[in-house]
Amino acid sequence: MRRVFVLVLVIASSVAAIADEGMWTFDNVPRQVIAKKYGVTLTDQWLQRLQQSVVRLETGCSASFVSPEGLVLTNHHCVATCLADNSTAERDYVARGFTATARENELRCQGAHASVLVATENVTDRVTKALAGVRPDRMTAVRNETLTNLESQCEAASKTSGSPLACEAVALYQGGQSWLYKYRRYTDVRLAFAPEAAVAAFGGDPDNFQFPRWCLDMSLLRVYENGKPAATPTHLSINWSGAAQGEPVFVAGHPGTTDRLLTVSQLKTQRDLTLPFWLLRFSELRGRLIQFSKSSPEAARTAKDYLDSIENSHKVRRMEQSSLLDDRLMERKISEERKLRASAGSAAGAWNEIDAAQQRYREIALPYTWLEGGAGFNTELFGFARALVRAADERAKPNASRLREFTDGALPQLRAQLEANTPVYPEFEQVRLAFSLERMREYLGPDHPVVKAVLGTASPDERARMLIEGSKLGDARVRLQLFDGGQAAIAQSTDPMIALARAIDAESRRLRTIYETEVTGPVRRAQQAIAEARFKAYGSQVYPDATFTLRLTYGAVDGWTEAGRKVSPFTQLEGLFARQTGQAPFALPQTWLDAKPRLDLTRRANFVATTDIVGGNSGSPMVNARGELIGLVFDGNIHSIAGSYWFDAATNRTVAVHPQFMRTALEQIYPAGALARELGLSK
């Protein structure tokens, strides 16, 4: 009863206490609550097997092993970059889909990697000891040094043991806990199957975050080791019948970020400053990209992946803004904060520290966002240039003193990205960069020193053309020569994009230093004090905000009531064909139209469950009490976007692909017989 009582206090709602809320770390799953509500007892063995089956992709998605030979199930939209990078004007894998009829035909996803969490270690005491007595303006630097040293020691120990791991420092509860997460990393990732985009993303942006849905948002990757499919004996079997309505289900994945534990002043900064800025920016950029896409079929192809991400981001930010404008949410947050602050004792001043840091951030937000945040230089080529310039400078420093993205542990991933032969489209890059330069000039003003230095007498369009046309950073060989050449090569380079990155680096770093010493440093110290007060008041029966780390959520297959109408939790294939219009985004591929007469249209397509997810859970396996995969998470309904800040049990739903839809595709639509057999299907 104390556990339930604590949860009531934490969430300040008796309804939420019995809700399927929480993105729980595997070491702190509320097993008694789950057993009481759903009659399911989760054992250590069950959790361990599931943990070893779940995969994190570098695209910010989740996935799972589904065969003993490295086969990985995830979403189509999680492999869109791989499809685009392997496509040409004559061979568009995004539009046409891809099926490897033999393993030697699987497509290499350049620069991709997949990680599996094998162990965790709580290092809170070591980090707390290192930060004891440190001034607020030194907090970020000392914390970074401490975390880098812990990661290095962890990786060195794993190499000595003969099982090299990638170790990542993770902060939970806004810094109240510090952990080392230890991953087995696969750097050879290949694409085995993806359907056409028209059926994978059926309904397009109009249906995004909606339900009913009919999306075959699935794909199959394979991870390799030493040129051979990796052995993955701990994998999930698929229950092709799926789950029944009301059946308990679980989602294991890597949710991106939530802000449920932020203070009221931090939420107000998002509401009043951050979200309005990005909403306007995404709206304007989306319009530019839509017009560019209409200029030619090739323009539409090259812009599609990025435009899809912009449209998705715009919708997310719009709904997040609506959530923060909801008086119910803010009143609840104010009430929760008032109660916790009253019990915090000497830590009560931590909220004032955060208030002051938020005010300082508001003062530097614009130049920081445009320069250090890179909003003024929105192009792949500038991303390469900045990484090369900073890598050269940072690698000359001791490992513990570097920026976190350039430590010895991070450099292999950076090198893999630099050496990947991914295509760069100059015309598309010019559109993005010209827009960024134009808006940076508008926000910072034409007399800002950086704006004057970047543009000179040229217009944003002219400067973007000169930078893109003159740069050779689209060539992986050039990038690697600069990377390997270090500071000398960077100093001697005449590449205009490298020159741009050099020119703005001093001011960008100055703003970063202000941000880290006067904003994040004080905030982290204050958040740790608040976290300790929260632990003292409520114990460990609180889940941390999402941090792109492995979590488990629980719930049941169920619909919800919308405007007085009950929404069924399932859709069927007959609805897919009924919704087909022949015009994008409701146009089915010819493969599906031709197959319609032989399909069982009562098979289920998509379904919803009450599990608590956010972005980053895309591609997560949904499993039943036996640990069988019964769904592939690909979206949430429109109400789930508010999940960044709170969980509404009545309407927040996860949307998943049903196994029957995937079976139909593999057995009856595509030449995927070998893959179907590997997944346990007879045909």
Side-chain angles (χ1 to χ4, degrees), residues 67-356:
S67 91
E69 296 183 273
L71 200 62
V72 175
L73 176 66
T74 189
N75 293 147
H76 179 279
H77 73 262
C78 294
V79 304
T81 298
C82 180
L83 287 165
D85 288 347
N86 282 285
S87 295
T88 65
E90 296 76 29
R91 186 186 60 205
D92 187 350
Y93 289 131
V94 177
R96 299 179 188 177
F98 173 79
T99 303
T101 53
R103 290 184 183 176
E104 57 265 27
N105 298 327
E106 292 172 349
L107 296 176
R108 182 72 179 262
C109 296
Q110 295 289 331
H113 63 264
S115 304
V116 178
L117 181 65
V118 298
T120 61
E121 179 184 356
N122 191 332
V123 294
T124 303
D125 290 345
R126 295 163 70 179
V127 174
T128 301
K129 182 178 180 181
L131 296 178
V134 174
R135 301 192 317 268
D137 63 324
R138 287 281 299 153
M139 284 287 290
T140 299
V142 174
R143 180 178 179 274
N144 287 348
E145 291 175 6
T146 303
L147 297 180
T148 297
N149 286 331
L150 287 170
E151 290 171 342
S152 298
Q153 293 164 11
C154 173
E155 294 187 354
S158 72
K159 290 178 182 177
T160 301
S161 70
S163 300
L165 299 173
C167 299
E168 298 179 8
V170 174
L172 300 178
Y173 301 100
Q174 267 70 36
Q177 290 183 357
S178 297
W179 292 73
L180 281 175
Y181 276 42
K182 306 172 186 182
Y183 295 92
R184 178 178 296 112
R185 184 157 289 156
Y186 301 91
T187 57
D188 186 349
V189 181
R190 307 182 195 182
L191 181 69
F193 168 77
E196 305 94 335
V199 67
F202 185 77
D205 187 59
D207 272 1
N208 191 22
F209 292 111
Q210 301 296 331
F211 194 82
R213 294 284 287 280
W214 295 267
C215 292
L216 184 65
D217 196 351
M218 69 166 292
S219 65
L220 290 166
L221 300 167
R222 192 184 304 279
V223 296
Y224 282 72
E225 287 186 307
N226 302 317
K228 298 179 180 180
T232 51
T234 306
H235 62 276
L236 301 177
S237 61
I238 301 176
N239 183 324
W240 298 99
S241 298
Q245 183 168 355
E247 183 175 341
V249 293
F250 306 86
V251 172
H254 299 81
T257 57
T258 55
D259 293 320
R260 298 179 187 181
L261 298 182
L262 292 187
T263 67
V264 171
S265 67
Q266 288 173 306
L267 292 175
K268 287 181 177 180
T269 297
Q270 292 196 17
R271 182 192 66 188
D272 302 337
L273 178 67
T274 307
L275 289 173
F277 173 86
W278 286 107
L279 272 172
L280 180 57
R281 179 173 171 78
F282 285 145
S283 295
E284 293 182 303
L285 181 55
R286 179 178 62 173
R288 296 283 183 97
L289 296 179
I290 289 173
Q291 287 304 115
F292 173 74
S293 297
K294 291 179 178 179
S295 64
S296 72
E298 178 64 0
R301 183 187 73 81
T302 57
K304 185 181 187 309
D305 185 29
Y306 188 69
L307 177 57
D308 286 347
S309 71
I310 292 296
E311 289 183 325
N312 183 74
S313 297
H314 179 267
K315 187 170 288 187
V316 168
R317 300 297 179 270
R318 178 167 58 84
M319 294 307 299
E320 287 177 340
Q321 178 77 337
S322 295
S323 298
L324 291 179
L325 290 171
D326 188 329
D327 290 340
R328 297 175 303 155
L329 170 62
M330 200 59 71
E331 288 169 3
R332 174 180 292 186
K333 293 295 183 181
I334 291 171
S335 175
E336 290 175 1
E337 184 170 300
R338 186 181 297 117
K339 291 177 182 178
L340 181 58
R341 194 168 183 173
S343 67
S346 60
W351 280 269
N352 295 333
E353 289 186 58
I354 291 179
D355 293 346

Side-chain angles (χ1 to χ4, degrees), residues 613-639:
I613 67 160
V614 292
N617 273 121
S618 289
S620 294
M622 185 180 291
V623 302
N624 59 20
R626 294 182 296 278
E628 300 167 327
L629 190 147
I630 51 82
L632 174 62
V633 173
F634 74 93
D635 204 0
N637 65 358
I638 197 70
H639 307 291

Side-chain angles (χ1 to χ4, degrees), residues 663-675:
R663 180 173 191 167
T664 297
L666 294 171
E667 287 188 327
Q668 298 182 263
I669 307 295
Y670 304 104
L675 292 171

